């Protein structure tokens, strides 16, 4: 039997990253935060002083990525999340990153991937698909706390506006828009703390494994 692939998708600051990390630890699987691929692509363009909609340069940057480049705290900044959602709307950039993600998911032991299109485009055959969501207000509060912990103080109204703008951009794009796969289980974490959300996610995985 092939390995256990767990696809986690959801909007900005829904808690999918934390859940994916915890599930990977619990089920002893490798984890890929696919948002980092788009963040690193955007970062390469910004570093070269190129506009974020330069599709050719962005595609070349995406092609040059390796999964070991990713521990830069700068990639996790608010600025890079915004920039990532601009390059992530470019069809050639997405196409360039498909193989890398699918190769990761094809590991013998299985894998946990989190992003926007894992259950719909990257791993449509994943045994487990979870769509993690929460209200924009809850997500903005979580993101404000997370950024403050990293020393980036941004006021709540600005973050709420970011979250809503990013939802709109990610859901409206033509290629691989943010939406739950038809066979995904939706997990609304608005009223759940991390522990409760984790327990609910483990239950979803166990059920899907049969
Ligand atoms: O944690 P947060 O959702 O803010 O950020 P992220 O998951 O690192 O994603 C940053 C941006 O990359 C998103 O707003 C998406 O536009 C894009 N992205 C994507 O299009 N497809 C993915 N599989 C992952 C991220």
């Amino acid at each position: 039997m092939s390995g256990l692939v767990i696809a986690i998708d959801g909007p900005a600051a829904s808690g999918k990253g934390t859940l994916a990390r915890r599930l990977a630890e619990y089920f002893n699987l490798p984890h890929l935060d696919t948002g980092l691929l788009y963040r690193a692509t955007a970062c390469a363009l910004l570093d070269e002083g190129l506009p974020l909609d330069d599709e050719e340069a962005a595609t070349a940057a995406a092609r040059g990525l390796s999964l070991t480049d990713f521990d830069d705290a700068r990639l996790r900044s608010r600025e890079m999340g915004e920039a990532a959602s601009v390059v992530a709307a470019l069809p050639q950039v997405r196409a360039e990153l498909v193989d890398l993600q699918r190769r990761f998911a094809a590991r013998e032991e299985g894998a946990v991937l989190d992003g926007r299109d894992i259950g719909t485009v990257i791993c449509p055959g994943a045994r487990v698909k979870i769509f993690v969501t929460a209200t924009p207000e809850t997500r903005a509060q979580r993101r404000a706390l997370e950024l403050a912990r990293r020393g980036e103080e941004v006021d709540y109204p600005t973050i709420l506006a970011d979250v809503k703008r990013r939802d709109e951009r990610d859901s409206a794009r033509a290629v691989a828009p943010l939406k739950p796969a038809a066979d995904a289980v939706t997990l609304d974490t608005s009223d759940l703390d991390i522990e409760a959300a984790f327990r609910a996610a483990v239950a979803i995985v166990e059920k899907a494994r049969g």
Side-chain angles (χ1 to χ4, degrees), residues 1-123:
M1 192 161 76
S2 57
L4 175 65
V5 175
I6 304 178
I8 315 260
D9 290 301
S14 54
K16 63 188 182 314
T18 306
L19 270 184
R21 234 181 354 264
R22 296 275 311 263
L23 287 174
E25 236 171 73
Y26 185 82
F27 290 104
N28 200 17
L29 295 170
H31 167 221
L32 179 61
D33 170 352
T34 64
L36 285 176
L37 301 172
Y38 298 93
R39 288 171 182 259
T41 301
C43 188
L45 290 187
L46 293 175
D47 283 348
E48 288 172 50
L50 294 168
L52 292 168
D53 61 356
D54 182 336
E55 190 157 8
E56 207 174 310
T59 307
R63 193 176 306 134
L65 290 182
S66 112
L67 292 180
T68 49
D69 306 335
F70 295 147
D71 28 58
D72 186 350
R74 198 173 150 223
L75 292 183
R76 305 273 182 192
S77 69
R78 167 176 172 255
E79 177 202 13
M80 223 48 86
E82 284 294 302
S85 76
V86 178
V87 301
L90 303 172
Q92 283 184 52
V93 169
R94 302 202 73 86
E96 191 61 48
L97 292 171
V98 168
D99 277 357
L100 178 72
Q101 296 173 82
R102 288 198 180 142
R103 274 201 307 276
F104 191 91
R107 291 167 179 220
E108 204 176 335
E109 68 270 39
V112 181
L113 287 86
D114 76 274
R116 299 291 189 289
D117 62 342
I118 308 304
T120 51
V121 175
I122 303 297
C123 304

Side-chain angles (χ1 to χ4, degrees), residues 157-176:
T158 304
I159 302 212
L160 181 60
D162 282 0
V163 160
K164 290 183 172 168
R165 189 170 53 248
R166 208 116 75 73
D167 284 358
E168 167 62 23
R169 204 183 278 144
D170 290 348
S171 307
R173 70 180 171 224
V175 182

